[in-house]
Amino acid sequence: MLGFLTARRAGLDDPLRLRRAESTRRVLNLKLNPDRDVDRIHGNGINSIDIETIEGRYMLSGGADGVIVIYDLENYSGKPQYTCKAVCTVGRSNRHVHKFSVETVLWYPYDTGMFVSSSFDKTMKVWDTETLKPAEVFEFESNIYNHHLSPIARKHSLIAVGTKNPKIQLCDLKSGSKIHVLQGHKAEVLSVRWSPRYEHILATASADSKVKVWDVRRASGSLFSLDQDNGDKSKSSSEAVNTAHNGRVNGLSFTSDGLFLLTTGTDDRMRLWNSATGENTLVNYGKVCNESRKGLQFTVSQGCSPEFVFVPCGSSVAVYVLHTGELVTMLRGHYNNVDCCKFHPDHQELYSGGKDGNILAWVPVLRASDMEEESDQKNKVHTSLPRLDKRKTKRG
Amino acid sequence: MNRKRALVSDTFKVKKRKTGSEKFGVVDDHGDGQGDIKSTIMDLMTLFPRKLFNDAVPQIVLKHQLYSIHDKTMVDKEVNKLRESGSLLMFQLGFDAEAFGLVFASDYKAKVLAGEEGKATRATVEKFLEKVVSKCTDLSFSKDKMLREFLFTDSEITQLVKSGVLTVRDAGSWWLSIPNTGKFIKYFIQGRKAVLGMVKKSKYGEVLKDDLEQRRTTSHVKFHIKYHINDIVGAELVESVPTTSGTLLRYVDS
């Protein structure tokens, strides 16, 4: 670590190198920390978590009881022991609360004044965070599984909505109307994601085993559909041609640079695709247990080298290296199935929520000062806050 | 004191004291070239009992058996390279959509031709081996492909199916297959079930790998037990946990 710092100071290394190395070290050290807790408000399972990208301070969670909670993740108390308190809640007593379970919650990408939630009560509500009243309600004819707003869009403000209906709706935030429909899937759409690289590219995953990539400006149909055999017709049975998975595709995630797309399916496989060509990179992650009938929210790390994928797998979260498919570790701590997880890129923390109603914070373990025998005298003088031990000159 | 060993990324490995990448069953020779995968395949092939089938069947190794020894993505890449170069052939074995069998091309040709000695279908089979197997790396063939590209007639296709080189997949398409493998697949499935049962019935559903290798096998298990162990570990039917007494195989309930 000191070697990296000296090299950066001397200009031998790019500043990015130190940052990447330290981020990776922190991600590899993720553990449940007894000092960090998240307030338990939800009585039932938690379906979706989102952390806002502007400050990285507020977290939204949507639960199976229709309740939406906003938490403050920052620790200004000065003590290491901290519980992330719920700042405000859209509880059952609120007049506008969703009637059934909230499936997806998402912050507005540009500020925390607004957030969007969609639910099994067939409505999608755009909420004003100050007053906790919906500024806009979009009604649909069937259960909504997933929605997504483009994180980089400047020219449009569309929300893509995946419902039980095979048609994907695009709703406009500015006008408040459903302006566009994307046709092509044959079964319910379980997950939709905008690309973080191009504001018009959208990927959708459906229960008909297909994943389609669309350009919303094009009226005629999808750009391409992901094929797990890369066109090699010999491998699959002749009915299952051109499918991304051998079962329902229930999870989608772009990497933070938008160059790759990850999909998970109920055939217990996870696949990595090149998002520009739709080619299966054939990285083999092994068996990624997946029994979810609805969507699964998984996440990719940012700013590390190599990048990691955090996938909820039963009641634990599996961490894989993105490009080689190696299983790094399983984060165990939940009492029941884990449904969603979200990576906090600034602090390299992982928040995961599940059916047990708990949100667990996985925090990087700080370097332990294990040269305690010699430094006992000096330690007594310093405060009790954990700190990097400067005497670790041996480390790289 | 933190008793758990921390995972350390490559960039910080100066003394190589804590190499976290060894934790989950990944073997430490990461820099494997093509030679090592090939030699592993040959080692695994020695486990295959030839006498049981009276030498009629070439030695078969399953692709997922390699996953238990090397890194999965690398195995896939190397196997594809070997297939492209024509030295290795891959077959869909039929009992599991993901179970692919690997046979060396030379072995396969020798055994098939030996099996065809004195039969009327010999000429067609030879023609098939030359034209199709040497050039095309597909696992299955459709009717127009056979008729148009390779110029086989319908009756010739029937002869190929009869000789066992092609197996019906659905109307108008065939899998490439190895003749006389019916018995192999039957014994394989039986043996897999038996070995898996041995792990399941052990106390706590787990058994040390070395211990399992020493056990006496029932008459259901016709192959070498190591062949089956590699199979169940690679297919992730058991979880392989590294412990201080060696590798532990734990039954996965799914």
Side-chain angles (χ1 to χ4, degrees):
Chain A
M1 170 69 171
L2 281 186
F4 280 105
L5 278 172
T6 340
R8 188 208 188 284
R9 204 183 298 143
L12 292 167
D13 262 351
D14 199 80
L16 193 57
R17 188 153 182 254
L18 166 65
R19 186 178 167 162
R20 284 259 162 93
E22 189 56 22
S23 305
T24 317
R25 191 195 65 81
R26 283 168 67 87
V27 171
L28 286 174
N29 277 332
L30 282 178
K31 262 179 71 166
L32 276 182
N33 196 332
D35 290 336
R36 178 72 74 92
D37 214 350
V38 178
D39 229 4
R40 201 196 147 131
I41 306 280
H42 286 283
N44 264 331
I46 295 163
N47 284 328
S48 174
I49 299 182
D50 191 34
I51 300 177
E52 44 111 4
T53 45
I54 305 99
E55 278 182 283
R57 185 175 170 177
Y58 295 103
M59 179 164 81
L60 255 185
S61 75
D65 42 8
V67 169
I68 301 172
V69 189
I70 302 177
Y71 306 88
D72 180 357
L73 300 176
E74 272 311 311
N75 180 1
Y76 290 123
S77 63
K79 288 182 286 196
Q81 212 280 326
Y82 175 65
T83 306
C84 301
K85 290 256 168 274
V87 170
C88 51
T89 330
V90 175
R92 302 271 1 135
S93 51
N94 188 316
R95 244 185 350 127
H96 308 282
V97 71
H98 280 289
K99 290 198 192 63
F100 299 132
S101 105
V102 173
E103 286 303 308
T104 317
V105 283
L106 220 62
W107 284 108
Y108 181 58
Y110 303 109
D111 65 60
T112 52
M114 198 158 81
F115 61 90
V116 188
S117 69
S118 65
S119 137
F120 268 1
D121 66 357
K122 304 177 190 172
T123 60
M124 180 166 75
K125 298 192 172 156
V126 180
W127 301 80
D128 177 342
T129 324
E130 296 282 319
T131 57
L132 284 184
K133 291 208 182 82
E136 186 70 63
V137 178
F138 292 95
E139 306 259 346
F140 292 86
E141 289 107 36
S142 49
N143 289 350
I144 307 172
Y145 281 112
N146 200 266
H147 72 264
H148 199 238
L149 283 103
S150 174
I152 48 163
R154 295 260 168 239
K155 299 209 184 88
H156 70 80
S157 47
L158 293 172
I159 311 178
V161 186
T163 65
K164 220 167 184 166
N165 193 319
K167 296 187 199 164
I168 298 146
Q169 290 273 12
L170 292 175
C171 305
D172 186 18
L173 266 181
K174 285 207 185 97
S175 60
S177 55
K178 294 176 237 176
I179 55 173
H180 201 161
V181 168
L182 298 173
Q183 298 209 37
H185 279 299
K186 295 196 177 68
E188 46 196 23
V189 180
L190 293 171
S191 190
V192 292
R193 284 282 181 274
W194 291 93
S195 159
R197 203 175 171 87
Y198 302 111
E199 55 177 346
H200 295 288
I201 302 288
L202 174 69
T204 59
S206 155
D208 64 0
S209 319
K210 296 210 174 129
V211 175
K212 286 188 188 281
V213 178
W214 314 76
D215 182 336
V216 295
R217 296 169 293 189
R218 196 167 128 166
S220 54
S222 61
L223 288 176
F224 48 84
S225 180
L226 300 180
D227 182 6
Q228 58 180 307
D229 301 313
N230 286 337
D232 186 10
K233 290 196 192 52
S234 55
K235 275 211 191 135
S236 54
S237 68
S238 42
E239 305 89 47
V241 176
N242 214 27
T243 55
H245 280 267
N246 289 328
R248 303 154 73 96
V249 188
N250 55 15
L252 263 189
S253 180
F254 275 95
T255 54
S256 51
D257 51 15
L259 294 173
F260 292 98
L261 176 62
L262 272 167
T263 60
T264 56
T266 51
D267 58 348
D268 292 344
R269 296 272 175 263
M270 183 158 75
R271 300 210 160 97
L272 184 68
W273 312 81
N274 180 327
S275 59
T277 59
E279 187 199 328
N280 186 352
T281 56
L282 297 172
V283 177
N284 195 329
Y285 297 96
K287 193 168 174 191
V288 180
C289 291
N290 189 340
E291 291 156 354
S292 173
R293 283 195 64 82
K294 304 183 295 186
L296 193 70
Q297 183 188 354
F298 62 96
T299 172
V300 184
S301 68
Q302 266 174 281
C304 304
S305 156
E307 297 287 4
F308 299 97
V309 177
F310 304 93
V311 188
C313 230
S315 61
S316 45
V317 180
V319 184
Y320 291 93
V321 177
L322 185 68
H323 291 286
T324 64
E326 189 188 323
L327 175 68
V328 173
T329 181
M330 296 281 273
L331 300 173
R332 286 177 229 272
H334 276 280
Y335 298 125
N336 208 330
N337 282 347
V338 181
D339 283 324
C340 50
C341 59
K342 189 85 186 163
F343 185 70
H344 192 318
D346 299 329
H347 300 161
Q348 288 86 40
E349 289 164 356
L350 182 72
Y351 291 88
S352 59
K355 283 206 174 61
D356 53 1
N358 282 329
I359 299 182
L360 290 182
W362 305 85
V363 173
V365 174
L366 290 176
R367 254 185 244 270
S369 43
D370 53 8
M371 312 244 297
E372 267 170 310
E373 306 82 53
E374 308 174 23
S375 56
D376 228 24
Q377 285 298 326
K378 279 206 169 177
N379 263 344
K380 285 185 190 146
V381 181
H382 291 288
T383 60
S384 58
L385 283 174
R387 57 166 177 65
L388 292 173
D389 191 330
K390 291 194 180 59
R391 250 154 277 112
K392 290 230 127 165
T393 50
K394 283 187 196 157
R395 283 283 175 92
Chain B
M1 188 172 102
N2 189 8
R3 287 178 190 276
K4 225 175 154 185
R5 285 174 129 207
L7 301 166
V8 181
S9 76
D10 286 343
T11 39
F12 283 102
K13 270 185 228 166
V14 176
K15 280 194 171 178
K16 288 208 185 272
R17 263 186 300 151
K18 303 173 199 172
T19 42
S21 52
E22 284 180 41
K23 242 190 160 184
F24 283 85
V26 176
V27 184
D28 46 19
D29 39 351
H30 271 298
D32 272 331
Q34 196 176 7
D36 271 314
I37 302 261
K38 199 163 181 186
S39 59
T40 320
I41 299 180
M42 295 208 284
D43 286 336
L44 284 171
M45 286 204 172
T46 56
L47 292 172
F48 181 88
R50 299 169 61 178
K51 282 183 237 141
L52 197 60
F53 304 109
N54 294 324
D55 248 3
V57 181
Q59 289 164 316
I60 307 176
V61 167
L62 285 98
K63 193 161 92 158
H64 58 255
Q65 285 175 327
L66 295 169
Y67 292 161
S68 63
I69 305 177
H70 292 279
D71 176 33
K72 294 187 192 90
T73 318
M74 243 202 16
V75 167
D76 284 345
K77 287 199 182 130
E78 293 302 334
V79 167
N80 273 332
K81 255 202 251 171
L82 288 169
R83 281 176 69 205
E84 304 281 310
S85 72
S87 55
L88 197 67
L89 290 171
M90 193 158 96
F91 302 92
Q92 242 278 18
L93 289 176
F95 59 88
D96 189 355
E98 304 254 346
F100 293 108
L102 303 169
V103 184
F104 280 120
S106 46
D107 257 353
Y108 176 71
K109 287 187 192 157
K111 292 283 192 246
V112 168
L113 289 175
E116 290 292 311
E117 277 303 315
K119 285 204 194 139
T121 50
R122 194 205 156 106
T124 335
V125 172
E126 263 186 42
K127 185 176 157 201
F128 179 75
L129 286 178
E130 253 180 63
K131 282 180 114 181
V132 182
V133 176
S134 319
K135 310 234 173 74
C136 183
T137 55
D138 280 349
L139 282 104
S140 78
F141 305 98
S142 70
K143 193 162 181 184
D144 0 292
K145 204 166 175 193
M146 293 292 280
L147 293 175
R148 244 154 267 167
E149 267 187 64
F150 304 121
L151 305 168
F152 278 101
T153 61
D154 260 340
S155 60
E156 287 184 318
I157 299 179
T158 324
Q159 287 184 343
L160 290 171
V161 175
K162 220 169 113 188
S163 66
V165 177
L166 286 180
T167 312
V168 167
R169 177 179 157 189
D170 59 35
S173 75
W174 298 272
W175 294 114
L176 184 68
S177 83
I178 312 167
N180 304 321
T181 42
K183 258 188 10 183
F184 165 74
I185 295 185
K186 182 170 123 193
Y187 290 154
F188 182 78
I189 298 180
Q190 247 180 9
R192 184 196 246 193
K193 225 162 128 191
V195 175
L196 207 53
M198 277 162 80
V199 178
K200 193 174 174 187
K201 277 192 233 143
S202 315
K203 196 172 182 195
Y204 307 119
E206 53 191 29
V207 67
L208 284 172
K209 191 166 162 189
D210 298 324
D211 195 35
L212 190 60
E213 283 170 12
Q214 305 297 335
R215 286 204 196 170
R216 270 189 308 145
T217 56
T218 62
S219 62
H220 284 294
V221 179
K222 305 267 194 289
F223 299 156
H224 197 295
I225 197 164
K226 278 199 192 170
Y227 193 78
H228 283 296
I229 291 178
N230 273 319
D231 163 51
I232 56 179
V233 171
E236 297 196 51
L237 295 166
V238 291
E239 201 186 316
S240 162
V241 180
T243 64
T244 46
S245 338
T247 327
L248 182 75
L249 301 176
R250 185 179 290 144
Y251 182 70
V252 167
D253 207 13
S254 59

